[in-house]
Coordinates of all heavy atoms in Angstrom, one line a residue:
M26 N 4.1 20.7 -32.8 CA 3.5 19.5 -32.4 C 4.2 18.8 -31.3 O 5.4 18.6 -31.4 CB 3.3 18.6 -33.6 CG 2.5 17.3 -33.4 SD 2.2 16.4 -34.8 CE 1.6 14.8 -34.1
V27 N 3.5 18.5 -30.3 CA 4.1 17.9 -29.1 C 4.1 16.4 -29.2 O 2.9 15.8 -29.4 CB 3.4 18.3 -27.8 CG1 4.1 17.6 -26.7 CG2 3.5 19.9 -27.7
Q28 N 5.2 15.8 -29.2 CA 5.3 14.3 -29.3 C 4.9 13.8 -27.9 O 5.5 14.2 -26.9 CB 6.7 13.9 -29.7 CG 7.1 14.3 -31.2 CD 6.2 13.7 -32.2 OE1 5.8 12.5 -32.0 NE2 6.1 14.3 -33.4
P29 N 4.2 12.6 -27.9 CA 4.0 12.0 -26.5 C 5.5 11.4 -26.0 O 6.1 11.0 -26.9 CB 2.9 10.9 -26.8 CG 3.0 10.7 -28.3 CD 3.6 11.9 -28.9
A30 N 5.5 11.4 -24.7 CA 6.7 10.7 -24.1 C 6.7 9.1 -24.5 O 5.5 8.6 -24.5 CB 6.7 10.8 -22.7
T31 N 7.8 8.8 -25.0 CA 7.9 7.2 -25.3 C 8.9 6.6 -24.4 O 9.6 7.3 -23.8 CB 8.3 7.1 -26.9 OG1 9.6 7.7 -27.0 CG2 7.3 7.9 -27.8
V32 N 9.0 5.3 -24.6 CA 10.0 4.6 -23.9 C 11.3 5.1 -24.1 O 12.3 5.2 -23.3 CB 9.9 3.0 -24.2 CG1 11.0 2.3 -23.7 CG2 8.6 2.6 -23.5
A33 N 11.6 5.4 -25.5 CA 12.9 5.9 -25.9 C 13.3 7.3 -25.3 O 14.3 7.4 -24.8 CB 13.0 6.0 -27.4
S34 N 12.2 8.2 -25.2 CA 12.6 9.5 -24.8 C 12.6 9.4 -23.2 O 13.4 10.2 -22.6 CB 11.5 10.5 -25.2 OG 10.2 10.1 -24.6
H35 N 11.9 8.5 -22.7 CA 12.1 8.3 -21.2 C 13.4 7.8 -20.9 O 13.9 8.3 -19.9 CB 11.0 7.2 -20.9 CG 10.6 7.1 -19.4 ND1 10.1 8.1 -18.8 CD2 10.5 6.1 -18.7 CE1 9.8 7.8 -17.6 NE2 10.0 6.6 -17.3
R36 N 13.9 6.9 -21.7 CA 15.3 6.2 -21.3 C 16.3 7.4 -21.5 O 17.3 7.2 -20.9 CB 15.5 5.0 -22.3 CG 14.8 3.8 -21.9 CD 15.4 2.6 -22.5 NE 14.6 1.4 -22.2 CZ 13.9 0.8 -23.1 NH1 14.0 1.0 -24.5 NH2 13.2 -0.4 -22.8
A37 N 16.1 8.3 -22.6 CA 17.1 9.3 -22.9 C 17.2 10.2 -21.7 O 18.2 10.9 -21.5 CB 16.6 10.1 -24.1
L38 N 16.2 10.3 -20.7 CA 16.3 11.1 -19.6 C 16.9 10.4 -18.4 O 16.9 10.8 -17.3 CB 14.8 11.6 -19.2 CG 14.1 12.5 -20.1 CD1 12.7 12.7 -19.8 CD2 14.8 13.9 -20.2
G39 N 17.3 9.0 -18.8 CA 17.8 8.3 -17.7 C 16.9 7.5 -16.8 O 17.1 7.1 -15.7
L40 N 15.7 7.5 -17.3 CA 14.5 6.8 -16.5 C 14.2 5.5 -17.2 O 14.3 5.3 -18.4 CB 13.2 7.6 -16.6 CG 13.6 9.1 -16.1 CD1 12.2 9.9 -16.4 CD2 13.8 9.2 -14.6
S41 N 14.0 4.4 -16.3 CA 13.7 3.1 -16.7 C 12.6 2.6 -16.0 O 12.1 1.5 -16.4 CB 14.9 2.2 -16.4 OG 15.2 2.2 -15.2
R42 N 11.9 3.4 -15.1 CA 10.7 2.9 -14.5 C 9.6 3.8 -14.7 O 9.7 5.0 -14.8 CB 11.0 2.7 -13.0 CG 12.0 1.5 -12.7 CD 12.2 1.4 -11.3 NE 12.9 2.6 -10.8 CZ 13.3 3.0 -9.6 NH1 13.0 1.8 -8.6 NH2 13.9 3.9 -9.1
V43 N 8.3 3.2 -14.6 CA 7.1 4.0 -14.8 C 6.2 3.7 -13.6 O 6.1 2.4 -13.1 CB 6.4 3.7 -16.1 CG1 5.1 4.3 -16.2 CG2 7.3 4.2 -17.2
E44 N 5.4 4.6 -13.0 CA 4.4 4.2 -12.2 C 3.2 4.1 -12.8 O 2.8 4.9 -13.7 CB 4.3 5.4 -11.1 CG 5.4 5.4 -10.0 CD 5.1 6.6 -9.1 OE1 4.2 7.4 -9.2 OE2 5.9 6.7 -8.0
I45 N 2.4 3.1 -12.4 CA 1.0 2.8 -12.8 C 0.1 3.2 -11.6 O 0.3 2.6 -10.5 CB 0.9 1.5 -13.3 CG1 2.0 1.0 -14.2 CG2 -0.6 1.3 -13.9 CD1 1.7 1.1 -15.7
W46 N -0.8 4.0 -11.9 CA -1.8 4.4 -10.9 C -3.2 4.0 -11.2 O -3.7 4.2 -12.3 CB -1.8 6.0 -10.7 CG -0.6 6.3 -9.8 CD1 0.8 6.5 -10.4 CD2 -0.5 6.7 -8.5 NE1 1.5 7.1 -9.3 CE2 0.8 7.1 -8.2 CE3 -1.5 6.7 -7.4 CZ2 1.2 7.5 -7.0 CZ3 -1.0 7.2 -6.1 CH2 0.3 7.5 -5.9
C47 N -4.0 3.5 -10.2 CA -5.3 3.1 -10.5 C -6.1 4.4 -10.1 O -6.0 4.9 -9.0 CB -5.8 1.9 -9.5 SG -7.4 1.6 -9.7
N48 N -7.0 4.7 -11.1 CA -7.8 5.9 -10.9 C -9.0 5.7 -10.1 O -9.8 6.6 -9.6 CB -8.3 6.6 -12.3 CG -7.1 7.0 -13.0 OD1 -6.4 7.9 -12.5 ND2 -7.1 6.8 -14.4
V49 N -9.2 4.4 -9.7 CA -10.4 4.0 -8.9 C -10.0 3.9 -7.4 O -10.7 4.5 -6.6 CB -11.0 2.7 -9.4 CG1 -12.2 2.2 -8.4 CG2 -11.4 2.8 -10.8
C50 N -9.0 3.1 -7.2 CA -8.7 2.9 -5.7 C -7.3 3.5 -5.3 O -6.8 3.4 -4.2 CB -8.7 1.4 -5.3 SG -7.4 0.5 -6.1
I51 N -6.7 4.2 -6.2 CA -5.4 4.8 -6.0 C -4.2 3.8 -5.6 O -3.3 4.3 -5.1 CB -5.5 5.9 -5.0 CG1 -6.8 6.7 -5.1 CG2 -4.4 7.0 -5.1 CD1 -7.0 7.4 -6.5
H52 N -4.4 2.6 -6.0 CA -3.4 1.6 -5.8 C -2.4 2.0 -6.8 O -2.7 2.4 -8.0 CB -4.0 0.2 -6.0 CG -3.0 -0.8 -6.0 ND1 -2.2 -1.3 -4.8 CD2 -2.5 -1.7 -7.0 CE1 -1.4 -2.2 -5.1 NE2 -1.5 -2.5 -6.3
N53 N -1.1 1.9 -6.5 CA 0.0 2.0 -7.5 C 1.1 1.1 -7.5 O 1.3 0.4 -6.3 CB 0.5 3.5 -7.3 CG 1.2 3.7 -6.0 OD1 2.4 3.5 -5.9 ND2 0.5 4.2 -5.1
A54 N 1.7 0.9 -8.5 CA 2.8 0.1 -8.7 C 3.9 0.7 -9.6 O 3.6 1.4 -10.5 CB 2.3 -1.3 -9.2
E55 N 5.0 0.0 -9.5 CA 6.1 0.7 -10.3 C 6.6 -0.4 -11.2 O 6.8 -1.6 -10.8 CB 7.3 1.1 -9.4 CG 8.3 2.0 -10.2 CD 9.2 2.5 -9.1 OE1 10.3 1.8 -8.8 OE2 9.1 3.6 -8.6
I56 N 6.6 -0.1 -12.5 CA 7.1 -1.2 -13.4 C 8.2 -0.7 -14.2 O 8.6 0.4 -14.2 CB 5.9 -1.7 -14.4 CG1 5.5 -0.4 -15.3 CG2 4.8 -2.2 -13.6 CD1 6.0 -0.4 -16.6
S57 N 9.1 -1.7 -14.8 CA 10.2 -1.3 -15.6 C 9.9 -1.2 -17.0 O 8.9 -2.0 -17.5 CB 11.3 -2.4 -15.4 OG 12.3 -2.2 -16.3
T58 N 10.5 -0.3 -17.7 CA 10.2 -0.3 -19.2 C 11.1 -1.2 -20.0 O 10.9 -1.3 -21.2 CB 10.5 1.2 -19.7 OG1 11.8 1.5 -19.5 CG2 9.4 2.2 -19.1
D59 N 11.9 -2.0 -19.4 CA 12.6 -3.0 -20.0 C 11.7 -4.0 -20.8 O 10.8 -4.4 -20.3 CB 13.4 -3.9 -18.9 CG 14.6 -3.0 -18.4 OD1 14.8 -1.8 -18.9 OD2 15.2 -3.4 -17.4
G60 N 12.1 -4.2 -22.1 CA 11.4 -5.0 -22.8 C 10.3 -4.5 -23.7 O 9.7 -5.0 -24.6
L61 N 10.1 -3.2 -23.4 CA 9.1 -2.5 -24.3 C 9.6 -1.9 -25.4 O 10.7 -1.4 -25.4 CB 8.4 -1.3 -23.4 CG 7.4 -1.9 -22.3 CD1 7.0 -0.6 -21.5 CD2 6.2 -2.6 -22.8
P62 N 8.9 -1.8 -26.5 CA 9.4 -1.1 -27.7 C 9.9 0.4 -27.6 O 9.2 1.0 -26.7 CB 8.3 -1.2 -28.8 CG 7.3 -2.3 -28.3 CD 7.6 -2.3 -26.7
D63 N 11.0 0.8 -28.2 CA 11.4 2.2 -28.1 C 10.3 3.1 -28.4 O 10.3 4.2 -27.6 CB 12.5 2.5 -28.9 CG 13.9 1.9 -28.4 OD1 14.0 1.3 -27.3 OD2 14.9 2.0 -29.0
D64 N 9.4 2.9 -29.3 CA 8.4 3.9 -29.7 C 7.1 3.8 -28.9 O 6.2 4.3 -29.2 CB 8.2 3.9 -31.2 CG 7.7 2.6 -31.7 OD1 7.6 1.6 -30.8 OD2 7.4 2.4 -32.9
F65 N 7.1 3.0 -27.9 CA 6.0 2.8 -27.1 C 5.5 4.0 -26.2 O 6.5 4.3 -25.5 CB 6.0 1.5 -26.2 CG 4.8 0.9 -25.8 CD1 4.2 -0.1 -26.6 CD2 4.1 1.3 -24.7 CE1 3.0 -0.7 -26.2 CE2 2.9 0.7 -24.3 CZ 2.3 -0.2 -25.1
P66 N 4.4 4.6 -26.4 CA 4.1 5.8 -25.6 C 4.0 5.5 -24.1 O 3.2 4.5 -23.7 CB 2.8 6.3 -26.3 CG 2.7 5.6 -27.5 CD 3.5 4.3 -27.3
I67 N 4.5 6.3 -23.2 CA 4.4 6.1 -21.9 C 3.0 6.1 -21.4 O 2.6 5.2 -20.4 CB 5.2 7.2 -21.1 CG1 6.7 7.2 -21.4 CG2 5.0 7.2 -19.6 CD1 7.4 6.0 -20.9
P68 N 2.1 7.0 -21.8 CA 0.8 7.0 -21.5 C 0.0 5.7 -21.7 O -1.1 5.5 -21.1 CB 0.0 8.3 -22.1 CG 1.2 9.1 -22.5 CD 2.3 8.1 -22.8
D69 N 0.5 5.0 -22.8 CA -0.1 3.8 -23.1 C 0.3 2.5 -22.4 O -0.3 1.5 -22.6 CB 0.1 3.5 -24.7 CG -0.7 4.5 -25.5 OD1 -1.5 5.3 -25.1 OD2 -0.6 4.3 -26.8
I70 N 1.3 2.6 -21.7 CA 1.8 1.5 -20.9 C 0.7 1.0 -20.0 O 0.6 -0.3 -19.8 CB 3.0 1.9 -20.0 CG1 4.2 2.2 -21.0 CG2 3.3 0.8 -19.0 CD1 5.4 2.6 -20.3
C71 N 0.0 1.9 -19.4 CA -1.1 1.5 -18.5 C -2.2 0.6 -19.2 O -3.0 -0.2 -18.3 CB -1.8 2.7 -17.8 SG -2.5 3.7 -18.9
L72 N -2.3 0.7 -20.5 CA -3.3 -0.1 -21.2 C -3.0 -1.5 -21.1 O -3.8 -2.3 -21.3 CB -3.5 0.5 -22.5 CG -3.7 1.9 -22.8 CD1 -3.7 2.2 -24.3 CD2 -5.1 2.2 -22.3
R73 N -1.8 -1.9 -20.8 CA -1.4 -3.3 -20.8 C -1.6 -3.9 -19.4 O -1.3 -5.1 -19.2 CB 0.1 -3.5 -21.1 CG 0.5 -2.9 -22.5 CD 2.0 -2.7 -22.6 NE 2.8 -3.9 -22.5 CZ 3.5 -4.5 -23.7 NH1 3.3 -3.9 -24.7 NH2 4.1 -5.5 -23.5
Y74 N -2.0 -3.1 -18.5 CA -2.1 -3.5 -17.1 C -3.5 -3.4 -16.5 O -4.5 -2.7 -17.1 CB -1.2 -2.8 -16.2 CG 0.3 -3.0 -16.5 CD1 1.0 -2.4 -17.4 CD2 0.9 -4.0 -15.7 CE1 2.3 -2.6 -17.7 CE2 2.2 -4.4 -16.0 CZ 2.8 -3.6 -16.9 OH 4.2 -3.9 -17.2
R75 N -3.8 -4.1 -15.5 CA -5.0 -4.0 -14.7 C -4.8 -4.0 -13.3 O -3.7 -4.6 -12.8 CB -5.9 -5.3 -15.0 CG -7.3 -5.4 -14.6 CD -7.9 -6.4 -15.4 NE -7.4 -7.8 -15.0 CZ -7.9 -8.5 -14.1 NH1 -8.9 -8.1 -13.4 NH2 -7.3 -9.7 -13.9
C76 N -5.4 -3.2 -12.5 CA -5.2 -3.0 -11.0 C -5.3 -4.4 -10.4 O -6.3 -5.1 -10.5 CB -6.2 -2.1 -10.5 SG -6.0 -1.7 -8.8
S77 N -4.2 -4.6 -9.7 CA -4.2 -5.9 -9.0 C -5.0 -5.9 -7.6 O -5.3 -7.0 -7.1 CB -2.6 -6.2 -8.6 OG -2.1 -5.3 -7.7
K78 N -5.5 -4.7 -7.3 CA -6.2 -4.6 -6.0 C -7.7 -4.6 -6.4 O -8.5 -5.4 -5.8 CB -5.9 -3.2 -5.4 CG -6.3 -3.2 -4.0 CD -5.6 -2.0 -3.3 CE -6.1 -1.9 -1.8 NZ -5.5 -0.7 -1.2
C79 N -8.2 -3.8 -7.3 CA -9.7 -3.7 -7.5 C -10.0 -4.3 -8.8 O -11.2 -4.4 -9.1 CB -10.2 -2.3 -7.4 SG -9.7 -1.3 -8.7
G80 N -9.0 -4.5 -9.7 CA -9.4 -5.2 -11.0 C -9.7 -4.1 -12.1 O -10.0 -4.5 -13.2
S81 N -9.7 -2.8 -11.7 CA -10.0 -1.9 -12.7 C -8.9 -1.7 -13.7 O -7.8 -2.0 -13.4 CB -10.2 -0.5 -12.0 OG -10.2 0.5 -12.9
K82 N -9.4 -1.3 -15.0 CA -8.4 -1.0 -16.1 C -8.4 0.5 -16.3 O -7.8 1.0 -17.2 CB -8.9 -1.8 -17.3 CG -8.9 -3.3 -17.2 CD -9.2 -4.0 -18.5 CE -7.9 -4.1 -19.2 NZ -8.0 -5.0 -20.5
N83 N -9.0 1.3 -15.4 CA -9.0 2.6 -15.5 C -7.6 3.1 -14.7 O -7.6 3.5 -13.5 CB -10.1 3.2 -14.7 CG -10.1 4.8 -14.7 OD1 -9.3 5.4 -15.3 ND2 -11.1 5.4 -14.1
L84 N -6.5 3.2 -15.5 CA -5.1 3.3 -14.9 C -4.6 4.5 -15.6 O -5.0 4.8 -16.8 CB -4.3 2.0 -15.0 CG -4.9 0.8 -14.6 CD1 -4.0 -0.3 -15.0 CD2 -5.3 0.8 -13.1
M85 N -3.6 4.9 -15.0 CA -2.7 6.0 -15.6 C -1.2 5.6 -15.5 O -0.9 5.1 -14.3 CB -3.1 7.4 -15.4 CG -2.8 7.6 -13.9 SD -3.0 9.4 -13.4 CE -2.5 9.5 -11.8
S86 N -0.4 6.0 -16.4 CA 1.1 5.6 -16.1 C 1.8 7.0 -16.2 O 1.4 7.9 -16.9 CB 1.5 4.6 -17.2 OG 1.1 4.9 -18.4
R87 N 2.9 7.1 -15.4 CA 3.7 8.3 -15.4 C 5.1 7.9 -14.9 O 5.3 6.8 -14.3 CB 3.1 9.4 -14.5 CG 3.1 8.9 -13.1 CD 2.5 10.0 -12.2 NE 2.8 9.7 -10.8 CZ 2.3 10.4 -9.8 NH1 1.5 11.5 -10.1 NH2 2.6 10.2 -8.6
P88 N 6.0 8.7 -15.3 CA 7.4 8.5 -14.9 C 7.5 8.3 -13.3 O 6.8 9.0 -12.7 CB 8.2 9.7 -15.2 CG 7.4 10.2 -16.4 CD 6.0 10.0 -16.2
S89 N 8.4 7.5 -12.9 CA 8.5 7.2 -11.4 C 9.0 8.4 -10.7 O 10.0 9.0 -11.1 CB 9.4 5.9 -11.3 OG 9.8 5.9 -9.8
V90 N 8.4 8.8 -9.6 CA 8.8 9.9 -8.7 C 10.1 9.6 -7.9 O 10.7 10.4 -7.4 CB 7.8 10.3 -7.8 CG1 6.5 10.9 -8.7 CG2 7.3 9.3 -6.9
H91 N 10.4 8.2 -7.9 CA 11.6 7.8 -7.2 C 12.9 8.0 -8.0 O 13.9 8.0 -7.4 CB 11.5 6.4 -6.8 CG 10.3 6.1 -6.0 ND1 9.9 6.6 -4.9 CD2 9.1 5.4 -6.2 CE1 8.8 6.3 -4.3 NE2 8.3 5.5 -5.2
E92 N 12.8 8.4 -9.2 CA 14.0 8.7 -9.8 C 14.3 10.2 -9.9 O 13.3 11.0 -10.0 CB 13.9 8.2 -11.3 CG 13.9 6.7 -11.2 CD 13.9 6.0 -12.7 OE1 12.8 5.8 -13.2 OE2 15.0 5.5 -13.0
P93 N 15.5 10.6 -10.1 CA 16.0 12.1 -9.8 C 15.4 13.0 -10.7 O 15.0 14.2 -10.6 CB 17.4 12.0 -9.8 CG 17.7 10.8 -10.5 CD 16.6 9.8 -10.2
R94 N 15.3 12.6 -12.1 CA 15.0 13.5 -13.2 C 13.7 13.4 -13.8 O 13.4 13.7 -15.0 CB 16.1 13.5 -14.3 CG 17.5 14.0 -13.7 CD 18.5 14.1 -14.7 NE 18.1 14.9 -15.9 CZ 18.6 14.9 -17.0 NH1 19.5 13.8 -17.4 NH2 18.3 15.6 -18.0
G95 N 12.7 12.7 -13.2 CA 11.4 12.4 -13.7 C 10.6 13.7 -13.9 O 10.7 14.7 -13.1
H96 N 9.9 13.7 -14.8 CA 8.9 14.9 -15.2 C 7.6 14.6 -14.3 O 6.7 14.1 -14.8 CB 8.6 15.0 -16.7 CG 9.8 15.6 -17.3 ND1 9.8 16.7 -18.1 CD2 11.1 15.0 -17.5 CE1 11.1 16.9 -18.7 NE2 11.8 16.0 -18.3
V97 N 7.5 15.0 -13.1 CA 6.4 14.6 -12.3 C 5.5 15.7 -12.2 O 5.8 17.0 -12.1 CB 6.9 14.5 -10.8 CG1 5.7 14.2 -9.9 CG2 7.9 13.3 -10.7
T98 N 4.3 15.4 -12.6 CA 3.2 16.5 -12.7 C 2.4 16.3 -11.2 O 1.9 15.3 -10.8 CB 2.1 16.2 -13.6 OG1 2.8 15.9 -14.9 CG2 1.1 17.3 -13.8
R99 N 2.6 17.3 -10.5 CA 1.9 17.4 -9.2 C 0.4 18.0 -9.4 O 0.1 19.0 -9.2 CB 2.7 18.3 -8.2 CG 4.1 17.8 -8.1 CD 4.8 18.7 -6.9 NE 6.1 18.2 -6.7 CZ 6.5 17.2 -5.9 NH1 5.6 16.5 -5.3 NH2 7.8 16.8 -5.8
K100 N -0.3 17.0 -9.7 CA -1.7 17.3 -10.0 C -2.5 16.6 -8.9 O -2.5 15.4 -8.7 CB -2.1 16.8 -11.4 CG -3.5 17.2 -11.8 CD -3.7 17.1 -13.3 CE -4.1 15.6 -13.5 NZ -4.5 15.3 -14.9
R101 N -3.3 17.4 -8.4 CA -4.2 16.9 -7.2 C -5.6 16.5 -7.7 O -6.0 17.2 -8.5 CB -4.3 17.9 -6.0 CG -3.0 18.1 -5.3 CD -3.1 18.8 -3.9 NE -2.0 18.9 -3.2 CZ -1.5 17.9 -2.4 NH1 -2.2 16.8 -2.3 NH2 -0.4 18.1 -1.8
D102 N -6.2 15.5 -7.0 CA -7.5 15.3 -7.3 C -8.5 16.4 -6.8 O -8.3 17.0 -5.8 CB -7.9 13.9 -6.6 CG -7.3 12.7 -7.2 OD1 -6.9 12.9 -8.4 OD2 -7.0 11.8 -6.5
V103 N -9.4 16.7 -7.6 CA -10.4 17.7 -7.3 C -11.5 17.3 -6.4 O -12.3 18.1 -5.9 CB -11.0 18.5 -8.6 CG1 -9.9 19.2 -9.3 CG2 -11.7 17.4 -9.5
S104 N -11.7 16.0 -6.3 CA -12.8 15.5 -5.5 C -12.4 15.6 -4.0 O -11.3 15.6 -3.7 CB -13.0 14.1 -5.9 OG -11.9 13.2 -5.7
Ligands
ZN201 ZN1 -7.6 -0.3 -8.1

């Protein structure tokens, strides 16, 4: 069974930042995981935010690409 990435597992990789992407306008921002509970799932972080550009709550969160050991999924939009 695959456990979802959590703030704790994220920190264990030496990562402290997460990117939040808007699925509507592709606006993105980087946030810190400081202050979040250890067992907070990374994919759920975006649920706490709203796009500051278009107001959408259709967001996704992923480890920051600016950090050296992030698990970056290079997934392209099909549209
Ligand atoms: Zn947006």
Side-chain angles (χ1 to χ4, degrees):
M26 181 175 166
V27 178
Q28 299 289 332
T31 61
V32 168
S34 67
H35 200 52
R36 285 195 185 120
L38 295 170
L40 303 171
S41 60
R42 289 178 299 177
V43 170
E44 281 184 355
I45 310 256
W46 285 78
C47 176
N48 288 317
V49 176
C50 72
I51 322 298
H52 177 69
N53 65 88
E55 198 174 84
I56 60 104
S57 170
T58 58
D59 290 349
L61 291 172
D63 280 355
D64 60 352
F65 202 88
I67 297 295
D69 285 0
I70 292 176
C71 63
L72 301 177
R73 298 163 67 108
Y74 290 86
R75 194 161 59 92
C76 179
S77 61
K78 197 171 179 183
C79 73
S81 171
K82 298 186 90 170
N83 183 6
L84 311 175
M85 64 173 183
S86 42
R87 68 180 190 186
S89 170
V90 295
H91 301 299
E92 293 184 277
R94 294 181 60 201
H96 289 241
V97 178
T98 311
R99 295 186 185 278
K100 193 168 77 176
R101 292 196 175 275
D102 292 330
V103 290
S104 56

